[in-house]
Amino acid sequence: GQNIDQPTEMTATEGAIVQINCTYQTSGFNGLFWYQQHAGEAPTFLSYNVLDGLEEKGRFSSFLSRSKGYSYLLLKELQMKDSASYLCAVMDSNYQLIWGAGTKLIIKP
Amino acid sequence: ETGVTQTPRHLVMGMTNKKSLKCEQHLGHNAMYWYKQSAKKPLELMFVYNFKEQTENNSVPSRFSPECPNSSHLFLHLHTLQPEDSALYLCASSQGLASSYEQYFGPGTRLTVT
């Protein structure tokens, strides 16, 4: 079966750095996405990785290792507004997105 | 403003009712999706339309019936639902089905089946 694993919940301090991990087992691989979802709102796109390595976009970076079936989302200089759920999703060989259950990130002052 | 709107935002219906969810995208995209989001569970893809043609139906019960009259509008018709169908229903669109196209989501319809 296809499976995406990510921690259920993480807590971090304002101004700090947090890394959210995602491991996957899918039938084929056509890219990995990270989305942010604030409570009661729609998911919004953060990043896309299809090749191994690190993609940096401002305070957010995303890393991919296809051989390990592993990705992480790195958030720097955390702000209170970063409190949200972070969803990892992999596009499989049928070009369908397989989603993880999301990691709820709690930022404390 | 994501460019994808959904109505209604909240819906309470009995198991014998018939209702419809509406989604409209203003982004000029060609693909549209229906997802079900239940608490602490992964997003479940229900239906995919590309250029108004349904390309995927992920074993969704027939009490859910999609309709895509054009590339900008998507409906989800509901009838004789069960309490376990209570969830957030999200509509999304993308430029196409290729892997690099991110999906843009609407705010969702919170459905409660009583």
Side-chain angles (χ1 to χ4, degrees):
Chain A
Q2 308 201 88
N3 194 50
I4 310 284
D5 285 318
Q6 49 181 134
T8 302
E9 187 173 298
M10 299 181 70
T11 302
T13 305
E14 190 176 16
I17 299 172
V18 70
Q19 177 175 311
I20 302 174
N21 296 325
C22 171
T23 58
Y24 62 90
Q25 291 178 308
T26 56
S27 55
F29 178 84
N30 280 303
L32 185 143
F33 293 80
W34 284 96
Y35 282 78
Q36 179 190 61
Q37 186 176 25
H38 285 101
E41 297 184 12
T44 54
F45 169 78
L46 288 177
S47 68
Y48 169 71
N49 294 69
V50 67
L51 299 176
D52 289 352
L54 187 68
E55 294 279 345
E56 297 185 77
K57 193 184 289 187
R59 293 189 298 115
F60 292 7
S61 303
S62 56
F63 172 83
L64 174 67
S65 169
R66 289 172 296 171
S67 63
K68 296 182 179 178
Y70 167 71
S71 172
Y72 67 73
L73 181 69
L74 190 72
L75 291 74
K76 303 177 184 177
E77 301 169 15
L78 286 170
Q79 302 175 10
M80 298 303 293
K81 67 178 182 179
D82 297 328
S83 292
S85 288
Y86 292 85
L87 311 179
C88 174
V90 173
M91 186 161 281
D92 69 7
S93 55
N94 293 320
Y95 292 93
Q96 288 194 28
L97 277 179
I98 310 301
W99 295 81
T103 298
K104 182 178 181 180
L105 178 63
I106 300 169
I107 309 298
K108 295 186 175 179
Chain B
E1 178 60 52
T2 62
V4 181
T5 58
Q6 290 186 244
T7 55
R9 294 294 309 275
H10 300 273
L11 178 62
V12 179
M13 59 185 290
M15 289 189 285
T16 58
N17 291 158
K18 288 185 180 181
K19 295 287 184 183
S20 296
L21 309 184
K22 179 183 177 182
C23 174
E24 183 174 0
Q25 58 98 356
H26 311 274
L27 301 168
H29 288 168
N30 299 310
M32 296 187 77
Y33 313 78
W34 278 118
Y35 285 94
K36 177 183 179 182
Q37 188 174 36
S38 302
K40 299 186 179 181
K41 288 187 177 180
L43 281 168
E44 299 174 45
L45 179 64
M46 301 175 71
F47 301 104
V48 181
Y49 278 83
N50 192 36
F51 291 98
K52 304 188 300 177
E53 298 297 319
Q54 184 173 313
T55 60
E56 292 295 336
N57 174 349
N58 282 1
S59 303
V60 179
S62 59
R63 56 186 184 269
F64 295 92
S65 175
E67 178 189 0
C68 188
N70 55 61
S71 293
S72 298
H73 293 86
L74 187 64
F75 295 89
L76 188 62
H77 303 299
L78 316 171
H79 66 97
T80 58
L81 294 190
Q82 304 298 311
E84 60 265 30
D85 296 323
S86 297
L88 181 68
Y89 288 84
L90 291 164
C91 174
S93 70
S94 65
Q95 190 171 343
L97 297 183
S99 58
S100 59
Y101 294 136
E102 70 263 33
Q103 296 180 13
Y104 293 76
F105 286 82
T109 295
R110 174 69 62 186
L111 173 67
T112 303
V113 181
T114 59

